[in-house]
Amino acid sequence: SYARAKLQEGISLIDPDRFVYCDTDSVKVIGNADQEFKRLNRKYINKKWSAVDTSGDRHYLGIFEKDAHYQKFVTMGAKKYAYVDDVK
């Protein structure tokens, strides 16, 4: 339930006209939402909820991270989507 509440908090940041899709671990929006999610992430960044990988990079649990930029995105429901990104 904690993860669902966090997901809803992220969805609520976005203007409904820009919201495209979400599932259990992502929110897809039209345009750039970096600033909205950065403010939310600052609230939750906590070293107790993090781990350092073998390269020395710290990864935090429960924060929103930027995904790829999509040229096109289409969905037909939960877990049924396709996209064209900047590579292919």
Side-chain angles (χ1 to χ4, degrees):
S1 63
Y2 177 75
R4 291 179 68 94
K6 294 262 307 167
L7 181 62
Q8 183 59 55
E9 192 172 5
I11 293 167
S12 297
L13 290 174
I14 305 303
D15 178 331
D17 292 336
R18 294 178 52 215
F19 178 81
V20 176
Y21 173 85
C22 76
D23 61 24
T24 56
D25 63 354
S26 65
V27 178
K28 308 290 189 209
V29 301
I30 296 171
N32 186 328
D34 289 351
Q35 294 306 315
E36 293 97 324
F37 287 118
K38 279 182 184 179
R39 281 193 298 274
L40 182 60
N41 285 343
R42 278 194 294 269
K43 219 169 99 172
Y44 289 105
I45 289 178
N46 183 329
K47 288 190 178 184
K48 292 187 296 186
W49 300 337
S50 67
V52 177
D53 66 20
T54 56
S55 300
D57 295 324
R58 184 170 295 275
H59 301 272
Y60 296 94
L61 178 67
I63 64 166
F64 289 88
E65 297 176 320
K66 187 172 184 163
D67 198 5
H69 176 264
Y70 303 123
Q71 297 294 328
K72 295 180 183 182
F73 182 90
V74 63
T75 181
M76 294 187 67
K79 305 288 185 192
K80 294 179 275 197
Y81 59 85
Y83 60 85
V84 176
D85 62 17
D86 290 337
V87 179
K88 287 188 174 186

